[in-house]
Amino acid sequence: MTEAWFSPAGGNVYTLGIDIGSTTSKCVILEDGDRLVAKSLEVGGMGTTGPEDAVSEVMQTSGLSSGDIDRTIVTGYGRMRFQGADGEVSELTCHAMGASHIFDGLRTVIDIGGQDAKIIALSPSGRMTNFVMNDKCAAGTGRFLDVMANILRIDVNDMGEIAAKAEGSAQISSTCTVFAESEVISQLANGVRLPELVSGICDSVASRVSALARRVGVKEKVCMSGGVARNGAVKNALERNLEVEILTSPLSQYFGAIGAALYAYRQASRSEK
């Protein structure tokens, strides 16, 4: 996939993909189903102004008007409540499509979102063949990391960097977020260093997600999708637990939106025939 930031010319097909998560909203505009024209990310997902703000930002960045967009598809946690798209598609389908577009030969997608974690198995051609989802508990999700970061009074985006300084990893034995919160506070009071605590928290998330992944069966190539892909400590722990290399991309958080824009392009292309 080629990124290009340019003044749009006429005659091309522009599609907009919108991914409304529980905590963030992402948008991507593609030209001809391949070239990334613009992207945007806003804090605030379903039930906030985040989706509208993200759309406004991506349109402004691209230099396009709403009339230039041939088709818009929305996906994600809040897709059913969004008005103004031409259709909605499951986030499972969109993350599979978006990740496969970035990584050739991909067979497994590990998507850790704000409220759930999903493992998606792909065929050699990139089609989704199976999946498993954890949406009943915050443990093993981005929400767990957010809660722990608030307890430790650190930025959740700094957790990977902090964990890299650890000389070991604190044991977080509780599988419930509420109990884990008490456990972390207790370890702080007992003088456990911040890097070791953060490392233990990231290991805990990876352990939960790894157990989920084994239920589907992990085949290489494997990639991470979603915002937690930016957390190097979680990625490294997943690699150790699953004994595979896990690919990430600067666009990992946008895979759902990319997939939605690709889906829109396929629909737009069919309608022109």
Side-chain angles (χ1 to χ4, degrees):
M1 183 180 206
T2 305
E3 286 196 41
W5 309 93
F6 59 91
S7 298
N12 298 324
V13 176
Y14 295 101
T15 55
L16 170 61
I18 306 168
D19 180 9
I20 304 173
S22 58
T23 57
T24 59
S25 299
K26 289 78 64 178
C27 289
V28 160
I29 294 177
L30 296 183
E31 177 197 24
D32 295 333
D34 182 62
R35 189 185 296 269
L36 178 61
V37 176
K39 64 184 188 298
S40 65
L41 184 150
E42 290 288 332
V43 175
M46 184 180 70
T48 74
T49 62
E52 289 76 15
D53 294 341
V55 171
S56 178
E57 181 184 340
V58 81
M59 296 304 299
Q60 183 175 359
T61 302
S62 69
L64 294 164
S65 67
S66 58
D68 295 317
I69 303 298
D70 292 273
R71 192 163 185 83
T72 299
I73 291 293
V74 61
T75 189
Y77 197 69
R79 67 186 185 275
M80 298 293 191
R81 298 188 182 182
F82 184 79
Q83 303 295 319
D86 297 303
E88 54 88 13
V89 179
S90 161
E91 62 264 37
L92 291 164
T93 298
C94 289
H95 278 273
M97 288 182 68
S100 295
H101 192 67
I102 300 299
F103 296 116
D104 291 333
L106 196 64
R107 298 299 304 275
T108 309
V109 179
I110 299 174
D111 174 34
I112 307 178
Q115 298 285 357
D116 60 28
K118 298 178 282 288
I119 313 298
I120 307 169
L122 306 177
S123 70
S125 63
R127 290 183 176 274
M128 182 175 66
T129 58
N130 196 8
F131 74 92
V132 64
M133 178 186 297
N134 167 32
D135 60 356
K136 303 299 183 184
C137 177
T141 71
R143 176 60 181 163
F144 182 84
L145 295 173
D146 287 338
V147 170
M148 297 304 151
N150 287 336
I151 294 170
L152 299 174
R153 297 186 177 182
I154 60 175
D155 190 322
V156 68
N157 295 317
D158 295 334
M159 294 185 83
E161 184 177 345
I162 293 171
K165 300 174 183 177
E167 297 177 358
S169 187
Q171 184 71 29
I172 309 296
S173 58
S174 300
T175 57
C176 170
T177 303
V178 175
F179 293 138
E181 183 176 351
S182 298
E183 190 174 352
V184 167
I185 292 171
S186 176
Q187 295 206 38
L188 273 175
N190 289 332
V192 177
R193 292 196 327 138
L194 181 63
E196 282 71 36
L197 263 178
V198 174
S199 178
I201 290 164
C202 294
D203 284 352
S204 176
V205 170
S207 177
R208 298 276 293 190
V209 174
S210 296
L212 200 66
R214 292 188 186 99
R215 289 168 52 188
V216 170
V218 176
K219 294 183 179 178
E220 297 186 82
K221 296 179 179 177
V222 184
C223 85
M224 284 184 73
S225 181
V228 179
R230 297 175 297 166
N231 186 316
V234 174
K235 172 185 174 292
N236 293 339
L238 281 169
E239 289 182 325
R240 290 193 302 270
N241 289 348
L242 297 173
E243 298 182 334
V244 295
E245 178 186 5
I246 297 177
L247 305 172
T248 61
S249 162
L251 293 173
S252 286
Q253 198 165 5
Y254 296 90
F255 283 173
I258 291 170
L262 287 168
Y263 198 94
Y265 176 72
R266 293 183 181 183
Q267 289 189 335
S269 299
R270 284 198 297 268
S271 67
E272 291 177 359
K273 293 180 180 179

